[in-house]
């Protein structure tokens, strides 16, 4: 390359020289760990906006504010549930009819869990969730409902003794897992499947240990189990031991036995 000698080369190799430092000609401001430059710099301070009651309220809907709202949900959930006794989360369809055998099974399971000394945690809604709460309440146990804000929200069922309503699914899911020693999954829809597979993933990846997942109702769950075995595992998308992450039963006595065995130290008979 030829030139006058005043040129600078910015390529790679022995002729490379550093680009000249640019003189900062734009405004700059720091807000804690956040660096703002150019048109991102605000003319007011955080304190000013906090104390100024005549300012806009758009900040209520921004992502940074949502962090505090999310944090408050975790704090409220942890505070309300921290002193729960041993508990089991029971899932199932909100559409389960009150006069159905599935509803009756939910009531019986809730009652049996309460009589065995467990608190019963559900999503707090109608159907199978109501059934489990009802059984626990009838038996004098602690009946817990963790509701979620939905467009078709129906509120917590009348058999909930301790209830919380959440805005965020992921906060609610944390509470289901953190304060339960196992899951009992009654026949349900997409929400039930969501909770089921999240629990199985947590156990598979060892995010939680010694955590039994029990599918109640072999006729309902049989097709899913066959698909997991003959398609998912057969095609190498999961391992054969993954089929041992859950139990399928039609007997409440077996539910209690599985839960009790999971609480024993390894090797204890």
């Amino acid at each position: 390359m030829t030139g006058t000698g005043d040129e600078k080369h910015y390529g790679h190799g022995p002729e490379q020289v550093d680009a000249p430092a640019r003189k900062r000609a734009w405004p700059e401001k720091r807000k804690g760990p956040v660096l703002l430059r150019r048109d991102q710099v605000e003319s007011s301070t955080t304190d000013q906006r906090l104390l100024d009651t005549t300012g806009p309220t758009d900040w209520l809907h921004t992502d940074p504010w949502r962090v505090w709202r999310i944090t408050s949900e975790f704090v409220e959930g942890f505070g309300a549930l921290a002193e729960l006794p041993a508990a089991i989360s029971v899932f199932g369809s909100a559409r389960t009819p009150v006069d159905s055998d599935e509803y009756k099974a939910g009531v019986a399971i809730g009652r049996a869990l309460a009589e065995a000394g467990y608190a019963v945690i559900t999503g707090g809604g109608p159907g199978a969730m109501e059934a489990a709460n009802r059984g626990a309440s009838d038996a004098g146990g602690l009946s817990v409902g963790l509701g979620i804000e939905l467009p078709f929200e129906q509120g917590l069922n009348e058999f909930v003794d301790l209830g919380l309503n959440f805005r965020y699914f992921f906060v609610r899911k944390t509470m289901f897992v953190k304060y339960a020693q196992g899951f009992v999954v009654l026949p349900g829809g997409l929400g039930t499947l969501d909770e089921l597979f999240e629990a199985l993933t947590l156990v598979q990846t060892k995010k939680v240990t010694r955590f039994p997942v029990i599918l109640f109702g072999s006729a309902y769950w049989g097709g899913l189990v066959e698909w997991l075995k003959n398609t998912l595992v057969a095609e190498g998308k999961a391992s054969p031991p993954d089929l041992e992450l859950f139990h399928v039963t039609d007997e409440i006595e077996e539910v209690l036995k599985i839960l009790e065995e999971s609480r024993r130290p390894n090797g204890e008979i």
Side-chain angles (χ1 to χ4, degrees), residues 186-255:
L186 298 170
L190 296 179
T192 302
L193 291 173
D194 176 47
E195 297 292 352
L196 166 61
F197 281 104
E198 178 154 332
L200 293 177
T201 301
L202 290 173
V203 177
Q204 181 199 49
T205 56
K206 301 188 184 302
K207 294 295 185 181
V208 294
T209 58
R210 303 176 60 79
F211 193 88
V213 179
I214 305 169
L215 307 182
F216 192 87
S218 59
Y220 186 85
W221 296 111
L224 175 62
V225 174
E226 286 301 309
W227 178 80
L228 292 173
K229 178 180 179 181
N230 298 327
T231 301
L232 197 71
V233 172
E235 295 186 4
K237 304 301 190 298
S239 302
D242 292 336
L243 297 174
E244 301 174 6
L245 299 177
F246 59 88
H247 310 266
V248 183
T249 185
D250 296 301
E251 303 296 331
I252 296 177
E253 292 78 9
E254 187 174 0
V255 170

Side-chain angles (χ1 to χ4, degrees), residues 20-252:
R22 296 177 60 189
K23 183 178 181 180
R24 180 162 55 85
W26 54 79
E28 179 176 303
K29 180 178 180 181
R30 289 187 178 273
K31 294 173 57 179
V34 180
L35 173 64
L36 303 174
R37 285 176 175 166
R38 291 179 282 274
D39 60 352
Q40 293 299 307
V41 175
E42 302 158 324
S43 60
S44 62
T45 66
T46 301
D47 287 340
Q48 178 183 345
R49 291 190 299 278
L50 174 66
L51 298 174
D52 187 355
T53 58
T54 63
T57 60
D58 292 346
W59 61 276
L60 285 169
H61 309 290
T62 61
D63 286 341
W65 176 248
R66 286 194 185 95
V67 172
W68 292 107
R69 179 184 286 173
I70 291 166
T71 301
S72 72
E73 288 207 346
F74 276 114
V75 171
E76 290 168 0
F78 292 156
L81 303 175
E83 297 183 1
L84 280 185
I88 302 298
S89 290
V90 180
F91 299 101
S93 175
R95 305 180 186 186
T96 301
V98 175
D99 58 354
S100 67
D101 289 339
E102 291 176 3
Y103 187 96
K104 294 175 184 176
V107 173
I109 288 171
R111 180 183 298 113
L113 291 173
E115 290 174 349
Y118 294 103
V120 173
I121 305 173
T122 79
M129 295 175 281
E130 176 186 292
N133 286 134
R134 182 174 189 169
S137 180
D138 288 349
L142 179 55
S143 177
V144 182
L146 307 181
I148 186 70
E149 180 182 1
L150 296 171
F152 45 86
E153 179 62 52
Q154 301 183 41
L156 297 175
N157 68 68
E158 63 180 301
F159 302 102
V160 169
D161 301 318
L162 172 60
L164 293 89
N165 268 310
F166 295 93
R167 289 186 176 93
Y168 301 100
F169 267 113
F170 58 88
V171 179
R172 182 184 186 228
K173 288 179 177 181
T174 299
M175 303 303 158
F176 277 133
V177 176
K178 180 173 176 58
Y179 293 104
Q181 279 68 56
F183 283 0
V184 176
V185 189
L186 298 170
L190 296 179
T192 302
L193 291 173
D194 176 47
E195 297 292 352
L196 166 61
F197 281 104
E198 178 154 332
L200 293 177
T201 301
L202 290 173
V203 177
Q204 181 199 49
T205 56
K206 301 188 184 302
K207 294 295 185 181
V208 294
T209 58
R210 303 176 60 79
F211 193 88
V213 179
I214 305 169
L215 307 182
F216 192 87
S218 59
Y220 186 85
W221 296 111
L224 175 62
V225 174
E226 286 301 309
W227 178 80
L228 292 173
K229 178 180 179 181
N230 298 327
T231 301
L232 197 71
V233 172
E235 295 186 4
K237 304 301 190 298
S239 302
D242 292 336
L243 297 174
E244 301 174 6
L245 299 177
F246 59 88
H247 310 266
V248 183
T249 185
D250 296 301
E251 303 296 331
I252 296 177

